Amino acid sequence: MWLNRLTLLNDPDSSFSSASFDSLNTNTSHLSGCNDVLPGSPWRRGVHYTPCRVMSQFSAEDEAELQSLLRQLLKSVKERISGAPSVECAEEILLHLEETDKNFHNYEFVKYLRQYVESTLGAVIEEETDNCAKGDGHTIGSGQDTLVHAVTRRARESAQYKQMMQTLKQTMMVIVESLINKFEEDQLKKEEMHRNSQHEQSSSHYTDNCSDSDSSFNQSYAFIKQEQLQVISEKLDPSRPREVRWEALQSLCCAPPSDVLSCESWTGLRRNLSAALADPDPDLSDKVLRFFAKTFSSSPLNVTREIYTSLVKSLESDFLYHKLSFPTESVGMDVNRPDIARLLKQMRLMNDFQQEVTTFWIRHPEKYMEEIIESTLALLSLHHEHGIGPHGSEKALEPVHFLSLLDIKATWFKKWMHGYYSRTVVLRLLERKYKSVIVTAVQQCIYYFESYDPVREETLEIAHAMEHQQIGPAQRSFYSAKELEYTYFVHSLCVLGRLLMYTNGRKLFPIKVRKRRDPVTLTDLVVILINIMYQHPNTSYSDSAHTDSLSPTSMVTEVLKTLCERTECAVECIYQTPVIETLLAPILALLKGKPAKLNSPESSLTHIADTLARIATTQRGLALFLYERKLVSAEGEGISAGHVIVQFTQKLLAKELPASTELENSPAVKGAFIFVCRQMYNTCEGLQVLRPYSLHECIAKAWRKTSSLSERVPTPVPGAIPSSSSQELQNAVAWEEVLLDNLLNFAATPKGLLLLQQTGAIHECVTYMFSRFTKKLQVSRCEKFGYGVMVTQVAATAPGIVALRSSGFIQAIVVELWSSLECGREDMRVVHPRSTPMDPIDRSCLKSFLTLVNLMSSPHAVWELLGHQTLPNKTEYNLREIPTSIIDVMDRLVVINSDAKIHSLFNYEQSHTFGLRLLSVMCCNLDSLLLLESQYKLSDILLQSQKDNAIEASSGEGEFIIDGLSVERNHLLVRMNAIGGPSERRLPPRALQKGSDPYPWPMFSSYPLPNCYILDVPKPLRTKQDSEISAFLASSKEAERDENWMESCRRHFCKAMTSKSTVLTGHVLADLLEKAVLHLSSSSANCFFPPAEYKVVDHYVKTRNLTSVEQLGISISLRYGLFLKLLREDSEQDLCLLIKHSQEFLSQQRVTLQSDLCYLRGGYPGHDWFSSTIFLLMGGDVGRSLSLLLRFSRLLPSTVLWPARLYSSMHLPVEMAQSGIPPLYSCTAHYVEMLLKAEVPLVFSAFRMSGFTPSQMCIQWLGQCFWNYLDWPEICHYVSTCIIMGPDYQVYMCIAVLKHLQQDILQYTQTQDLQVFLKEEPIHGFRVSDYLEYMEGLERSYRGMVLTDMRSILLKTT
């Protein structure tokens, strides 16, 4: 009954809909019963109001108080109610107010009702509670909830409750009726006052230029009849007097938009609203705008799209029939002009809606969105082809001019193109109906480019002004013609930049434009944009803070950056010959000694370099720079872009550019172009192409020169004014850091790390890296990851790990580990005690664990950090004593051999488990294992710990206590003692099993190992293939000198490998290798080293002493040979003799080096695993083994298969020998990474994400000839393949293994333990024969490059 009397509440103190009263009138029971009144409720125990009497009727004073409290409540929730589109929605809001309003219980009205309910029903509730507790408890059941429900139900059924509700409803009806009557009286008075004030208002009443200002968004509305809307529509007719139309608009603003749009007279009403919107009277047009703004803020899309299209259609009519213009000369546009101000307000409201509608239009039918988009594009497609006025002296003002002023970066278009839902509609409409929008945008960019003025100094001023412009009475009110054209250009550029990001947007090209014979293609457009960037004027602002984001160069650079970041965009738009030629044109001109056609060379070249760097960051762009020679022509020959960039960078650093001396002194330009080169040389393939330029030496030379200047920087004095010379020196320090940063990035690849070491700056670079690493900074703006990979790469070499130690990096890692493992967060222990770790390595320590694994993976790191280092083994450890080195970690966490060490740990079991896990990973490298075992007797300590962990039984035999540490030790002891591939040894698991016997694996406290850990190896049988190889070898005795013999040997080898490789072992394989090596070493063309005379008698060699590491290595080799049944029990002396002969022979070809590296002191620090492999392969025959090794030492494969061969060798260049970086790392591992990126990119990416490197894993596999990773037959096949097929097969072998492990690598990358998996797990299921065909394919693609580099790495002697 209230609907016929509802009107708009305009009182600022009571601005809420009377629908609220109706809702309250019918739903007061919800408010009064919002909380069940029960004994023990918080409100009963808390602060009480003044008690009121229990009353059956409210007094007049009570009604007045309730009315006041109700008004106060509705004021508090007026924003919620005013947004309700209907009475039903308003009722829903009030019904669920307790659930949605956190302040519900603080409202005085609610407190009053609660007090009234307590006073009325308190006695009833107490009585019912006592009854339930005494006599009726058994009927209620157990649980407090059941008691509450029972008491509530009985209270609601009581007579007192019914009387209370009846009284409350009657009183509330009276109160609401009174409020509505009072409101209607107030409303009539306000309307009368408003009519009286209309005659006194001036046209400048609305001083705010914002169409959505004032209270149009915040006003509420009431409900209206269809008849009333019909009357309003008639009153809005343009023929009616102004006062009548004003009153009609005033009434219309009181109605809900949903009612307005659903009325039968909406068509006429819409037409009259459009007429009022275009009316010269600002009061009428502003009132319509307020109605539109109110609709946008409070209505669903099906309503707002009607209002939006009406607004756009009105604007379209304005621009069609009231052709606005501005003079093309100095005079511009005044936004205070009434017609301009009116259009600006309407365009602003339109633009605000454009930016907001994307957040909710996906929830509505697509046709609504399509109407909005199409109406917008129809408006923007309005343009005039020619100028207006005599001789075209004026230019038409188009909708885009206004939109550009309000949204210069086209944010609305970016939002519309962001989601697929709307983007498809926009692109479809642009293609089918409104392509002219894109045509005019392209035309504007061309116009800006072609109207270039060589002295365009004002461009920066315009850009700076537009960057900070605001429209309004207190801001700018006048815009020149050039400013309007510039904003139009920027808006068009942003639209085109967003359009080119998407495939269907690029399909709109080529585009035919005026005054151009040929259509504009994607490439043409990008070239035009680059040329616009070249027109950037000389900056008039000395302060870099004045660099505006709206400058032409900044805008174009941002578009190019966006295109470079997307592969498809870059291929179609950037990776085109004209684009690259345009980017390189200034560089080529400067290289030829000609001035570059650049307005501001320093600024333009910096942005060119930024664009080139982003191109080089991608794989396709890098390949384009390195290998595409059709892009640039120099002196009649094609040259790749990469070569041009490096040549230019070299000349910049050497100051050999006579045409631009100012660039040679610009650190910004030099740093930008070094950064472009860095994107190439920090990859294996890029370094391969750029290495002839020796860029590392150029950068190092510039660094040394700058470093000598920065050392003279005076100590700053507080309060002193810095002098110009002091500022120059500080700039030199900054330039020095830039050079160090770029030098450091050579360490991203194995060969690059060798080049960095040869510059002599590795320590400074690593120190710089540590300073950035501690700040958790990225490598560069083009890198997605931090320094993890680079740290791992550096730690793989002896000089790298020494530099990491001297920089403080290792100490910081150890301290961080100790803090996580032992200290924890002391300040949080009491409030938040640390949870008991469930994993052996707690998640809080996992990062430190993986970092240490990466650092200690290489035997070079173990030799440098632990070689000749004794454990402290103190009698007492201070609890505050924190380890700071790797030897401290070994002493405190790994080698725990005393009670003092146990008592020094707060978390002994967790910390020792951490140490044992770290030791397990380190011992996977056999050379590391030999060093640790020889220095610290780890096996004896672990066995003693197991013995101490046993309980003496009555029978005299001890039973081992099974706990986390004993299981870890058992696993570690088996891993350290048992040698073999996946089918040759069995490692006990680290986890317990379910069932009655959780750990069925036998523990032990003394060697030998229990038999269950050693698997039986089947003896190979002779078969037809075996006989075929034997027949070939027997028939070729006389033809061994034949040049074609090796090719025939390779064919037979491949046939035997691919048919049934399991039989290609034993004596036949030994004979094959012997004959192959003999044939190769007999040919001078195949010999890489000169013949070496070696005539040493056994008696002399036997007197040579073996180190403890060598003795342990021999012991392991002998144990493996006995297990394989290849050796006899008395073969130890023969193996020792072979090792001694090998050492004697190699020592004769070594030079004495002066170095601080432990790796280069004395003889080869590790065991000669290749010699041991040959000894086993020859069945323990020392004569045949030595003869093969001596002949093999002349061949190229010996440089990579036999690591000890080139240790401190006289055949190496001196700088390479002194570097401490073996060719196995700088050559083989380098090409493994290079080929892996090209052939198995997913695996390469997995390594990058894990912070680990393929090179580290490969040098471990190759350094120990795959011992413990492959079964013996596969090890034999690996060696024979690399000797017979060529040394480059070592690279292909690693690629094949990583390809075989691809699924496992991807899986363990996800679980963040890739390093541990690769080092601890053998390579299951890999057979060389299965991948021989794949490796032959790699040979056809890469042999020329890999073999050439293997040869060039040495000083070939003849």
Side-chain angles (χ1 to χ4, degrees), residues 354-355 358 361 407-419 422-423 426 490-491 493-499 501-502 550 555 558-559 562:
Q354 288 171 340
Q355 298 188 40
T358 56
W361 63 12
D407 186 8
I408 190 169
K409 289 192 174 182
T411 306
W412 68 274
F413 190 75
K414 293 178 182 178
K415 290 186 176 183
W416 285 17
M417 294 290 285
H418 179 70
S422 55
R423 181 169 65 246
V426 173
V490 173
H491 187 274
L493 180 61
C494 292
V495 168
L496 292 173
R498 184 62 50 168
L499 193 71
M501 290 172 56
Y502 305 102
L550 292 180
M555 296 302 302
E558 189 65 29
V559 171
T562 304

Side-chain angles (χ1 to χ4, degrees), residues 63-73 109 175 179:
E63 290 182 2
E65 184 179 1
L66 260 180
Q67 182 173 333
S68 173
L69 295 178
L70 180 57
R71 179 185 289 272
Q72 189 178 7
L73 170 68
F109 180 75
I175 292 173
L179 278 176

Side-chain angles (χ1 to χ4, degrees), residues 1209-1225:
S1209 174
M1210 59 188 296
H1211 303 297
L1212 281 175
V1214 176
E1215 61 272 13
M1216 182 177 288
Q1218 287 183 333
S1219 69
I1221 300 177
L1224 184 66
Y1225 177 78

